[in-house]
Amino acid sequence: MSSNAAASSSGGAGSADSAAPRRNSKRPKYSRFTQQELPACKPILTPKWVVSAFILVSVIFIPIGVASLLASRDVVEIVDRYETECIPEPLRGDKVGFIQSAANKTCERKITVPKRMKSPIYVYYQLDNFYQNHRRYVKSRSDAQLKSLKEENETKSCDPEGTSGGKPIVPCGLIAWSLFNDTYSFSRNNQQLAVNKKDISWKSDRDGKFGKKVFPKNFQKGGLIGGGTLNESIPLNEQEDLIVWMRTAALPTFRKLYGRIEVDLQPNDIIHITLKNRYNTYSFGGKKKLVLSTTSWLGGKNDFLGIAYLTVGGLCLFLALSFTIIYLVKPRKLGDPSYLSWNRNPAGH
Amino acid sequence: MVGGDIRKKLHLSKILSFSCRRPVVKEDVSQIGGPGFSRVVFCNYSESDEGGSRDYCDNYVTTTKYTLANFLPKSFFEQFRRVANLYFLLAGCLAFTPLAPYAAVSAILPLVVVIGATMLKEGVEDWRRRKQDIKVNGQKVKVHHGNGNFEHTEWKNLRVGDIVKVEKDEFFPADLLLLSSSYEDAICYVETMNLDGETNLKLKQAMDVTLDIMEDSHFRDFRCLVKCEDPNASLYTFVGSMEFKEQHYSLSPQQLLLRDSKLRNTDYIYGAVIFTGHDTKVVQNAMNPPSKRSKIERKMDKIVYLLFSMLLLLAVTGSVAFGIWTKEDLENGRSKRWYLRPDNSKIFYDPKRAPIAAIMHLLTALILYNYLIPISLYVSIEIVKVLQSIFINQDLHMYHEKTNKPARARTSNLNEELGQVDTILSDKTGTLTCNSMEFVRCSIAGTAYGLCVTDVQRARSKKNGSPLIHDVVDGDNNLKASVKGFNFRDKRIENGNWVNEPHPDAIQKFLRLLAICHTALPEVDTETGNIFYEAESPDEAAFVIAAKELGFEFYNRTQTSISLHELDPISGTKVNRSYKLLNVLEFNSTRKRMSVIVKDEEGRLLLFCKGADSVMLERLAPNASAFEEQTKEHMDVYADEGLRTLVAAYRELDEEEYNEFNEEFNEAKNSVSADRDAIIDEVANKIERDLILLGATAVEDKLQDGVPECIDRLAQAGIKIWVLTGDKMETAINIGFACSLLRQGMKQIIISLDTPHIKTLEKEGDKSVITKASKGSIIHQLNEGKARLSASNGSSDTFALIIDGKSLAYALDDNVKDLFLELAVGCASVICCRSSPKQKALVTRLVKSGTGKTTLAIGDGANDVGMLQEADIGVGISGVEGMQAVMSSDIAIAQFRFLERLLLVHGHWCYRRISTMICYFFYKNVTFGITVFLFEANTSFSGQPAYNDWYMSLYNVLFTSLPAMALGVFDQDVSPRFCIKFPQLYQEGVQNVLFSWKRILSWMFNGVCNAIVIFFFCTSVLETQAFRKGGQIVELQVLGTTMYSCVVWVVNCQMALSVSYFTLIQHIIVWGSILLWYIFLFAYGSMPPRISTTAYKVFLEACMLAPSYWLVILLVVFSALLPFFLYSAISMQFFPMYHQMIQWKRLKSNSDDPENRPIEPTSITASEIRR
């Protein structure tokens, strides 16, 4: 009896089970991919791995922390807060009134160099509580106009500092309009210290974003004067103070580069600063600081990075130790089913 | 085929009693022409004929969701029904207003990508459906083209009124009016499996007036007019009238051939097309299968809502703060933050209208914070699930060589649900068993024959540890084992040896009965001479085959006779005998028996009857049953062995009695009344009495391969298994033992209405009394069961509940079902016997809604469809019983045992992958969104984002989604071998530990922490001082880029920590995503400033060479991930989850023994899990 006959004799109506030879097998093709058998590493957090990972992290982090901290400590930084001191005592009751008046705003300051400062010494001004990152402020500029003379009428985004008397303001917008205009000059032993204001902005800004042939126009000519003015004979890409200012800060407390002093300062040098305190931070209660700082390979003075690295590294070392101790003191029997939640709670649902 | 010639002459309609020639109930016809009965069909009228065709729809049936024209609007509508997508659309639209915190294009792009991808997927799926449609509608059928010429025409070109010729084994292309067939009396056989799943053949018959139009040429001048009902969905009704040769005839469903049913055992038919295309009954009936969504997805919606509220909370906080801040900008006409020009401001920042500004800001914030909601989540999940389904389909371990069927996930929606199944509701026949009946035992004249070992015996002896009772298979028998449907070994009766047995005449009659008493049709293969049988059920086939194997070969059936090759006991040679077939009293479920009346060559009138013991024993002649007791005993033994038994008996009739019966019977058959069936039953009942017992048969429904092991494993996984079967209680219990659903030592709670009290009530026949008494009895039994259950609480006893169909009907009553469910869930196994398809569905619904747990229904037949659709997951066995179950299932597998791999491996993996992936998605978006928020808080909530527009819009699309998807597709916590070795692992899904609120919220909390670490570390390190040797200061774009880099690094490294199966693909994708970010940064930053805006040369000029940039990233990545790492290490060490324990074990075994020594199974036993 051939199986052929048998198959269909029992088939009844189920002739789907045809005994005809199968030409096209539907057997899936074997490959490690489709069978999900690709070679793989299956990381498991064994005590050995955990402890080694912690040790590795601390071994890397602690030296970095030390190096960062040393770098930060290397930096000499002089900060001079002047917004109150630079207002004549009797007028301190109405600071805003003073700053908006036409009074003489020159102010003399004196600082002492605590440690030797190697050139270049960067001069920054630091503002506080100044929301350069406010959306209205950030958006209030016209990149097209800054770059190209032809597009000086592109002032749509600059409102309300887009036009003045119907004519486009170049550079337009709130950022430019509120340009910082305090100035500083330094002298040591009655000798003027030159402040180099070249190359204080990003090269990409000068080359890419600010036009060579675009000159300030109608700037600060409107009813309300904001901040500083610009020399209309210098193209925008050479107005580095403006370029620095236009690159808006991330946080309400920020520094901006003012220039570089390219001589070394010796300890106990006394620096005389003559500053013009013109910029209004009094309306919103902002501080103004003048900062002189050297840099290290890491940048300016900030211990946070080093401390953070040391902390994390130390923590990891501690954890590595604790894990080792726990593992030595109380080695756990692996695969103990009593840990299963559904065994612990037999009522289940 | 050969059979056709014989059948042409058959007038089976005269023999079969019940199914054909049903008289038309006249009153319906009066409705024709009225409302709802307006259809007029001009059959065989050519275009030129007057009247012609009316505008009925064409025969093209579409199953596609979209057409070319409506694809866009409709799919858009579908997409934006999702709340999240709608939100993103609104946000995108708002982005075109000045409210937008960033450029509109970058806000709308991710949405376009996401919607585009989803629509593409929809489109591709629909295109496939369309191709299928074209294939179906492009099938050819012979259509009359005038002058008696029939030409092959595509289905879609059929018109109402066409005459078609359908040939054997073809599907009907539309709803047809049967005109004539190859049989003289114009009957035809129809298989309606695609409609109702029934595999038996149905008989249809044309009107007498058209039956002689049997040739192509007859249709040259054939014309008729049909008026009938309008299209409707009722498969079993049809009202119409035919005007033919100026006479009116009324039509009935008997003449209607439905589309998608198949012509069987009939060479050809002619029919007139009545309903086409979407008017056909089957299409009208087509119901979209209920679309199922997994529990995880439903929970995900809740998480999205949670995130929405979080978003709203953040936005409102920001807006209030912004409003206050803005209001303070102008004090008594003096501007505070003068540089913002508060005195001259648009509405958005106007201090004078601060509340409105705040409301405006709310809108801005809603756009800004949309990164909290993972826009790409839905589409990612869909893509991942499709890929997972491909893995399921491709799994070689779920490919069945014999039937050439791989597993097929028909929907990819439910993959992860497979990992959470709490209860399996299984059909028995065809699912646990093969549904190929084998004749294994018989008891003739009080002697039991048949020695083969059944599955139940095998299982039992395995349990007891005793060797097999008797394995009598010798070489000779082994050869014969290849006969399917026959597994009978007994030398006493084989090869004609029965003549030497004590009661040879009884044996002869018994075998003759098997060969005669059936409705099977023989088909002789002309080449080999082999005979196949086409029978209504596998049982019947098994009998005919058994008779054949034992020497009574049924080889021919004519309209009035049945012919056998018989072994003559005296001469010992084969002789041909034919029996005159007088009547067939068919089987139906109320009669539970069938009989034939034949006249043998000696002129004796014999009634052969076989049926269920419950109806047969009471019909035996009271005195003539000398071996009734032995037979009953044998049948009990058989039932105990898990076999299906039937009683065989006969009776000799005298001429007079028969004539009287025949007259009555014919009268009954031709009667025109609603209770015609009852009258026929009554008449048949009269003749089927005083039977003489011959013996009993026992057929075995073989268990499928590996079923007991599979069930064992699933039980160990803590999955409850319910078997819902139509079988008798004894059979069901025994099969339960055979497939290790019931175990020795399990306490059985049996709920049944088989009590004497109820039985006496039933005899009295007062329905309301019976109902009341039955219900009372059921409630009592249920309570008793519960009492037993609670009494054993704490001990290790396990219980099995067995309930029969009649009791089930009461147990499913509204006020009883909770009690029933309570009892049932307390039992390890539940068996429902004698349950109808509807009860199966009801039980499924009860379990699903009552316990709230995931249910999986598995079945193979049309009677399981309701259950499959009702359950959370329907698994169809693509076995022999038609495709109905498969078509309505979510996943089709070839064998029950594949369920083990489907659930324990694929289900577990998919559940784990999807839940981890979703958690991760929320995590990464929370991380990102919170950094945006924290920064915005530092801009006095003015809505300024820290990041460049394009960084933000590409976050979800490019830099973080792919690793998550790779996790969703490839991750494996434990290898398949261990998944199966430790089935308890499956409980992770059932208890939903990986997607509990605790876990989801922990992930989100992790995201919030990471965001805080990222923001504060970045701002603190890059505070105000120079960040490079050159003295440059960190501005907005540098800080933004640094923070963004940190986010990309952190979330991708977090992914790397979460992956437990790190293949090369994952390495490429995870590290590639980070690399991609830098490539993007480089490329985008190199574009002219007009395009790159704030990203112009940021990386190249500012960040790349700054040590502090890299040191910040290093610091942030390690500090952000430290808590998670610590948590993982501690939980792995001290509170491992089950999969972690298995990972431990794998590691241990690998390191202990290089040869991968098998690990001892864990100490948890099934009973512990099962309480």
Side-chain angles (χ1 to χ4, degrees), chain B residues 443-461:
Chain B
S443 156
I444 309 170
T447 316
Y449 298 101
L451 300 171
C452 281
V453 181
T454 64
D455 281 333
V456 174
Q457 285 177 323
R458 203 166 290 137
R460 214 171 275 164
S461 55

Side-chain angles (χ1 to χ4, degrees), chain A residues 10 27 30 48 56 65 83 93-94 136 140-141 158 162 208 220 229 232 271 301 329 346 349:
Chain A
S10 76
R27 184 188 174 84
Y30 174 83
K48 220 189 295 173
L56 186 75
E83 85 278 356
D94 180 18
R136 178 167 209 221
S140 185
R141 61 188 285 161
C158 294
Q220 303 290 23
T229 51
E232 298 203 349
I271 314 278
K301 189 172 189 68
V329 171
H349 12 243

Side-chain angles (χ1 to χ4, degrees), chain B residues 640-901:
Chain B
D640 195 39
E641 286 171 4
L643 307 175
R644 294 193 189 200
T645 57
L646 282 182
V647 174
Y650 83 108
R651 181 183 171 206
E652 259 190 73
L653 305 172
D654 53 44
E655 200 83 19
E656 214 172 293
E657 193 182 7
Y658 173 70
N659 287 341
E660 194 183 316
F661 158 77
N662 198 27
E663 220 165 89
E664 270 182 54
F665 188 59
N666 282 336
E667 198 178 300
K669 260 165 52 174
N670 295 330
S671 70
V672 185
S673 68
D675 51 353
R676 175 173 162 273
D677 289 354
I679 296 175
I680 294 177
D681 278 0
E682 184 76 14
V683 176
N685 203 12
K686 269 190 205 160
I687 198 88
E688 293 167 326
R689 64 183 165 78
D690 293 337
L691 303 172
I692 297 159
L693 182 67
L694 286 173
T697 59
V699 289
E700 182 183 23
D701 193 0
K702 275 253 176 229
L703 280 184
Q704 285 183 9
D705 283 349
V707 166
E709 292 82 2
C710 174
I711 288 186
D712 222 28
R713 197 92 64 188
L714 294 175
Q716 277 180 49
I719 304 173
K720 297 189 199 71
I721 300 169
W722 294 33
V723 172
L724 311 176
T725 171
D727 278 330
K728 268 182 289 198
M729 186 174 276
E730 300 76 36
T731 320
I733 291 177
N734 288 309
I735 288 291
F737 275 109
C739 59
S740 86
L741 193 62
L742 302 177
R743 279 174 294 266
Q744 235 69 43
M746 238 179 192
K747 301 240 164 73
Q748 294 179 9
I749 300 173
I750 295 176
I751 310 255
S752 156
L753 283 177
D754 227 5
T755 58
H757 175 60
I758 303 287
K759 273 194 171 163
T760 43
L761 281 178
E762 265 171 4
K763 286 222 172 94
E764 284 162 23
D766 186 344
K767 272 197 173 156
S768 64
V769 175
I770 298 174
T771 312
K772 214 174 146 201
S774 309
K775 198 162 178 180
S777 156
I778 293 300
I779 294 178
H780 175 71
Q781 291 184 46
L782 288 173
N783 278 324
E784 212 166 86
K786 243 181 79 185
R788 276 177 70 189
L789 204 62
S790 49
S792 76
N793 209 355
S795 72
S796 62
D797 290 346
T798 50
F799 284 86
L801 177 71
I802 296 137
I803 184 164
D804 69 5
K806 228 192 284 171
S807 320
L808 199 56
Y810 294 105
L812 291 175
D813 265 7
D814 270 345
N815 45 1
V816 189
K817 65 181 185 190
D818 290 333
L819 183 65
F820 168 60
L821 186 67
E822 219 174 301
L823 175 62
V825 295
C827 296
S829 309
V830 178
I831 297 178
C832 303
C833 327
R834 291 254 178 255
S835 44
S836 66
K838 185 152 182 238
Q839 283 181 331
K840 290 185 181 186
L842 284 175
V843 170
T844 311
R845 181 182 302 169
L846 177 66
V847 178
K848 187 173 82 170
S849 56
T851 62
K853 301 276 177 107
T854 309
T855 53
L856 178 144
I858 178 166
D860 73 321
N863 57 350
D864 304 317
V865 168
M867 174 169 91
L868 295 186
Q869 293 192 338
E870 189 64 53
D872 293 306
I873 312 165
V875 176
I877 299 274
S878 46
V880 286
E881 225 190 275
M883 291 299 279
Q884 194 74 3
V886 170
M887 296 308 276
S888 54
S889 67
D890 303 304
I891 289 164
I893 52 179
Q895 291 270 301
F896 183 82
R897 72 186 134 102
F898 295 155
L899 201 57
E900 173 181 317
R901 191 170 170 91

Side-chain angles (χ1 to χ4, degrees), chain A residues 22 26-27 35-36 38 41 124 131 135-136 151 161 202 204 280 295 300 302 309 332 339 349, chain B residues 338-341 394 401-402 404 853 913 942 1020 1026 1029 1031 1035 1061-1062 1090 1101 1111 1133:
Chain A
R22 291 185 194 100
K26 290 179 191 153
R27 184 188 174 84
Q35 299 308 310
Q36 310 193 55
L38 289 176
C41 64
Y124 303 95
Y131 286 86
R135 185 155 67 101
R136 178 167 209 221
E151 293 178 82
E161 293 299 329
W202 294 103
S204 66
N280 177 10
T295 59
N302 186 346
Y309 264 102
R332 210 180 68 82
Y339 285 105
H349 12 243
Chain B
W338 56 269
Y339 52 92
L340 296 174
R341 287 300 299 271
Q394 291 286 325
E401 195 79 59
K402 219 155 113 197
N404 188 26
K853 301 276 177 107
R913 289 167 179 175
S942 59
S1020 306
K1029 184 144 180 55
E1035 309 97 343
Y1061 188 76
F1062 233 120
R1090 188 170 292 237
E1101 189 181 37
L1111 286 181
Q1133 187 70 28

Side-chain angles (χ1 to χ4, degrees), chain A residues 2 5-6 8-10 12-15 17 22 24-28 30 33-47 50 53-54 57 61 64 96 122 124 129-131 133-139 151 159-161 174 177-178 202-204 208-209 224 226 247-253 255 279-280 283-284 295-302 304-305 308-309 312 315-316 319 323 326-327 332 334-337 339-340 342-343 346 349, chain B residues 98-101 199 325 334-341 344-345 349 364 391 393-396 399 401-402 404 406 484 530 532-533 535 541 545 853 880 906 909 913 935 938-940 942-944 970 972 984 987-988 991 1020-1021 1023-1033 1035-1037 1039 1059-1063 1065 1089-1090 1093 1096 1101-1102 1107 1111 1114-1115 1118 1122 1125-1126 1128-1130 1132-1134 1136 1138 1141 1143-1144 1146-1148 1163-1164 1171:
Chain A
S2 84
S8 79
S9 59
S10 76
S15 61
D17 182 26
R22 291 185 194 100
N24 49 348
S25 168
K26 290 179 191 153
R27 184 188 174 84
Y30 174 83
F33 179 75
T34 59
Q35 299 308 310
Q36 310 193 55
E37 291 167 359
L38 289 176
C41 64
K42 305 165 188 168
I44 296 179
L45 296 176
T46 60
V50 172
F54 279 137
V57 172
F61 269 42
I64 293 180
V96 179
Y122 296 94
Y124 303 95
N129 203 16
F130 189 104
Y131 286 86
N133 57 13
H134 194 282
R135 185 155 67 101
R136 178 167 209 221
Y137 191 81
V138 172
K139 297 251 184 288
E151 293 178 82
D159 204 52
E161 293 299 329
L174 289 175
W177 176 73
S178 61
W202 294 103
K203 190 166 178 303
S204 66
K209 291 194 170 171
L224 198 60
R247 193 134 170 170
T248 50
L251 297 169
T253 302
R255 287 178 194 174
Y279 200 70
N280 177 10
S283 290
F284 51 88
T295 59
S296 66
W297 59 274
L298 204 53
K301 189 172 189 68
N302 186 346
F304 184 87
L305 190 66
Y309 264 102
V312 174
L315 190 65
C316 285
L319 288 172
F323 263 80
I326 291 172
Y327 192 60
R332 210 180 68 82
L334 297 179
D336 187 343
Y339 285 105
L340 278 180
W342 52 89
N343 276 2
H349 12 243
Chain B
L99 285 170
T199 51
W325 226 308
R334 277 174 66 169
S335 308
K336 262 174 101 181
R337 293 189 290 182
W338 56 269
Y339 52 92
L340 296 174
R341 287 300 299 271
N344 179 4
S345 178
Y349 309 102
T364 306
F391 279 136
N393 294 345
Q394 291 286 325
D395 193 338
L396 273 171
Y399 168 73
E401 195 79 59
K402 219 155 113 197
N404 188 26
K484 205 173 168 190
N530 288 332
F532 320 137
Y533 299 109
I545 292 163
K853 301 276 177 107
V880 286
H906 288 284
W909 278 350
R913 289 167 179 175
F935 180 80
N938 276 273
T939 68
S940 64
S942 59
Q944 175 63 32
F970 299 113
Q972 304 177 6
Q984 293 90 335
Q987 281 294 317
E988 283 193 353
Q991 321 249 341
S1020 306
V1021 173
E1023 211 183 359
T1024 51
Q1025 87 288 7
F1027 80 111
R1028 284 161 59 115
K1029 184 144 180 55
Q1032 290 92 339
I1033 296 298
E1035 309 97 343
L1036 183 54
Q1037 43 261 69
L1039 183 78
V1059 168
S1060 46
Y1061 188 76
F1062 233 120
T1063 63
I1065 301 172
R1090 188 170 292 237
T1093 60
Y1096 182 60
E1101 189 181 37
L1111 286 181
L1114 187 69
L1115 175 71
F1118 278 90
L1122 187 67
F1125 184 79
L1126 189 64
S1128 305
I1130 289 176
M1132 186 79 186
Q1133 187 70 28
F1134 303 107
Y1138 199 72
M1141 285 167 31
Q1143 288 169 348
W1144 270 122
R1146 181 193 70 213
L1147 193 79
K1148 278 296 260 184
S1163 55
I1164 320 169
R1171 279 157 290 153

Side-chain angles (χ1 to χ4, degrees), chain A residues 30-223:
Chain A
Y30 174 83
S31 78
R32 296 192 82 162
F33 179 75
T34 59
Q35 299 308 310
Q36 310 193 55
E37 291 167 359
L38 289 176
C41 64
K42 305 165 188 168
I44 296 179
L45 296 176
T46 60
K48 220 189 295 173
W49 269 102
V50 172
V51 170
S52 335
F54 279 137
I55 288 179
L56 186 75
V57 172
S58 54
V59 162
I60 295 172
F61 269 42
I62 290 172
I64 293 180
V66 171
S68 313
L69 207 53
L70 287 179
S72 168
R73 290 281 152 91
D74 251 8
V75 173
V76 186
E77 190 182 78
I78 308 166
V79 181
D80 181 49
R81 180 174 166 186
Y82 65 84
E83 85 278 356
T84 311
E85 276 76 19
C86 278
I87 295 182
E89 266 221 77
L91 297 175
R92 283 186 193 164
D94 180 18
K95 294 177 191 162
V96 179
F98 168 79
I99 204 80
Q100 284 172 344
S101 69
N104 179 14
K105 291 169 185 155
T106 310
C107 170
E108 295 287 334
R109 307 282 301 159
K110 195 166 73 180
I111 52 177
T112 315
V113 178
K115 273 202 281 184
R116 181 166 179 272
M117 292 172 88
K118 271 193 74 180
S119 117
I121 298 151
Y122 296 94
V123 181
Y124 303 95
Y125 52 90
Q126 176 170 338
L127 298 181
D128 180 77
N129 203 16
F130 189 104
Y131 286 86
Q132 253 205 329
N133 57 13
H134 194 282
R135 185 155 67 101
R136 178 167 209 221
Y137 191 81
V138 172
K139 297 251 184 288
S140 185
R141 61 188 285 161
S142 166
D143 282 333
Q145 188 206 45
L146 293 175
K147 177 68 185 156
S148 162
L149 190 60
K150 279 178 286 183
E151 293 178 82
E152 68 177 23
N153 288 321
E154 278 292 321
T155 59
K156 211 169 57 211
S157 54
C158 294
D159 204 52
E161 293 299 329
T163 54
S164 160
K167 281 182 257 166
I169 300 171
V170 181
C172 72
L174 289 175
I175 313 180
W177 176 73
S178 61
L179 176 65
F180 185 75
N181 58 351
D182 284 7
T183 53
Y184 315 102
S185 59
F186 302 89
S187 60
R188 178 175 56 175
N189 308 328
N190 293 328
Q191 218 172 9
Q192 193 74 20
L193 282 172
V195 176
N196 185 353
K197 292 181 73 89
K198 275 271 165 242
D199 279 352
I200 55 172
S201 60
W202 294 103
K203 190 166 178 303
S204 66
D205 277 358
R206 294 197 299 272
D207 295 351
K209 291 194 170 171
F210 291 81
K212 251 187 290 198
K213 293 176 186 152
V214 185
F215 294 88
K217 217 192 251 179
N218 305 320
F219 191 66
Q220 303 290 23
K221 298 277 166 63

